[in-house]
Amino acid sequence: MRWQGQQLGVDNPDALPGLEQMDGLVRSVTTPEFAGMTFHEVLCKSALNRVPGASAMPFDWTVNPYRGCSHACSYCLSPDTLILRADGRQVPLSEIRIGDEIIGTERGATYRHYVRTTVQAKWSTRKRLHRVTLADGTEIEASGDHRFLTERGWKHVTDSPVAGERRPHLTTSNRLQGFGTGPRSVDASASPDWRRGYLTGMIRGDGMILHKIYDDGIRVREVHRFRLALIDHEALELSRNLLEGIGVPTLVRPFAVPAGRRPMTAIHTARRADIARLEQHIAAPDDRSREWFAGFLGGIFDAEGSCSRGVLRIANANEELLSLTEQAFAALGFHAVREPVKLNGVASIRLRGGLSARQRFFDIARPAITRKLTVTGAAVKTSADLRVVAIDDVGHEIDMIDITTGTGDFIANGVVSHNCFARKTHEYLDLDYGADFDSQIVVKVNVAEVLRTELRRGSWAREPVMLGTNTDPYQRAEGRYRLMPDIVGALTDTGTPFSILTKGTLLRRDLPLLTEAAAQVKVTLAMSIAVFDDALQHSIEPGTPSAEARLETVRAATAAGFRVTVFLMPILPHLTDSIPVLDDALGRIRAAGAARVVYGALHLRPGAKQWFLQWLEREHPHLLSSYRGLYPGVSTQAPKAYRAWLGKRMRPLLRMHRLDGWDEDDHPRGRPQPGLAARTPPTSSLGPVRGTGGAAPARPRVAPASEPTLF
């Protein structure tokens, strides 16, 4: 792992106030990727921690690779930002899902290159909007913390808002890397003119229309035929649908090709009236709109176009089609040149302008054939004018989204955009013990090595181990340090059953590894989802993945063969405890494939209570007196009467959604029978429950509600 940051010396008390004597400290690091946080990398002496008062817990041991939480994130981009998918098409960020294949970059010997990568996580929140305008007309809407690749390295949109801090940020002297989008074009593919233009380019470029009269001396017979045969089903299906839309139905059949050639499929008709209607439709109109020209280029590119080694060409031998292609390029603002005619009479029209012109062509013309659109393997060379000409603070907040990818970057509005890692903008209270929990992150860099040594001792009885009881093992810092794969490997190799409780969608990265582990040991996983209303979550739980992102992780785990448990905790009195809210939450949990729910009312831990009441007074002042009544004095737990009322409300909803469910008050406290944890089941289940070999327990043992609660 390489950090682009500053290493703080342990002999500088001002740099590490109160932490200079930290046992095992190797170094302390600050980095722009986690602005406002300090990572203290330590060499731990032990990895396994015995749980105090283990008789009340369903597990005796925990492993905590981190101390502190880096979930508090800087969300970065407008949901309308176009993200380049692996298939070469650009779609709004709001439509991107965890697991999608998109385009990132990797540094090569000379250039960066565009490569495929996978979306590993997705978050959203409200942030102040900034707009970056480039010389080619590209506009990018992002938070001030977001970073883009420039000719001088990664730079934030704006300088740090924290007094006394400086960080690399964009100026009008910078040039972004990528291809840009230019002024955003309107998708014309739904317009009648685009559809007519597409059919004109496709059918006149690659179709066959035959009119013939046969006279055998006995009778005269007229034959009328239309056929379009293609390798690519995307263009063929689009053409068939567009023909259907003008009243020309077609039949489908395989098309005979010579041996060794790729198979083709044809659509065809022999109805004279339909063919006459088609011929009239694909005649070039005298008044050709921009939409018609865009559709024509899309159709003739699908029919006769190529994009090889970064060069886009459209070839044909028909002078009228070549002339129409040149007119279309010019009308849409492209620079194209006609190459010399080849011996076979075919001439090509070549698009100039590099990758930026190609991507603009794809966005305007909307060709259907995906294989011609890929940029994978191409070098990141900036031919467009991507100079920064303006950086504007728009002056208000909007909902923004960020994603994490396997390469650490992605292509946003045609420029190379960095994953926006955590930044301390507020206090996030996941198991909070004070501000240091968010800003001073202790990383046990050798935890897997120490754990493996401890697990190999002859005294180790392969008792269940829990991860996620104190801090989230899949917090965002895990995306950098990657401690969990080796921890999972150590537990699996020694036959130790283990459980993971997380709210981090980075869990999805390790699902293949966890699936392999589940074939050898008892693997139990659970996802914590407290708030399903986006606005409320943005307010009270900033920095965590959205409920939908976590549900996507539940779906992925279910698809991998796990039975999923969701911790619906904490339930907030008067905010998330109504029947419609609970019904919606349980319905979404069930739809995601979960089998169990553990629920519990809000706990207000010491040190968090004051913050929560301040938040409540600011956001929901009408509820303040009610909460003071529910949590008087030093009380941290909701009254027993409220918890009983919540249980009566939850139980029928759980039955209706066919979910097993337990609350904080009815989980069994007895210790499991010795020896059961060491058995290896044929399959795994989800939820922090004690391993019971191949048989499912009659009633899962769950951790007390105080363990996974957010506050």
Side-chain angles (χ1 to χ4, degrees), residues 26-41:
V26 176
R27 64 172 183 165
S28 294
V29 177
T30 61
T31 170
E33 294 170 344
F34 288 82
M37 293 185 183
T38 301
F39 290 86
H40 306 289
E41 299 176 0

Side-chain angles (χ1 to χ4, degrees), residues 93-136:
L93 178 56
S94 58
E95 297 180 14
I96 294 294
R97 298 290 180 264
I98 296 173
D100 285 354
E101 281 200 332
I102 63 173
I103 294 295
T105 72
E106 284 185 353
R107 185 186 297 274
T110 306
Y111 296 103
R112 282 182 178 268
H113 290 81
Y114 296 103
V115 297
R116 287 175 174 260
T117 188
T118 302
V119 177
Q120 297 177 343
K122 183 178 180 181
W123 298 269
S124 62
T125 196
R126 290 187 68 82
K127 296 290 288 182
R128 191 174 181 87
L129 177 65
H130 293 75
R131 181 177 296 116
V132 179
T133 305
L134 307 183
D136 75 333

Side-chain angles (χ1 to χ4, degrees), residues 301 304-308 311-315 339 348-351:
F301 178 76
E304 300 282 14
S306 65
C307 192
S308 176
V311 180
L312 188 150
R313 291 183 173 90
I314 295 173
E339 297 178 337
S348 294
I349 297 174
R350 173 168 50 88
L351 178 65

Side-chain angles (χ1 to χ4, degrees), residues 179-190:
F179 48 82
T181 60
R184 293 281 286 271
S185 59
V186 177
D187 182 3
S189 60

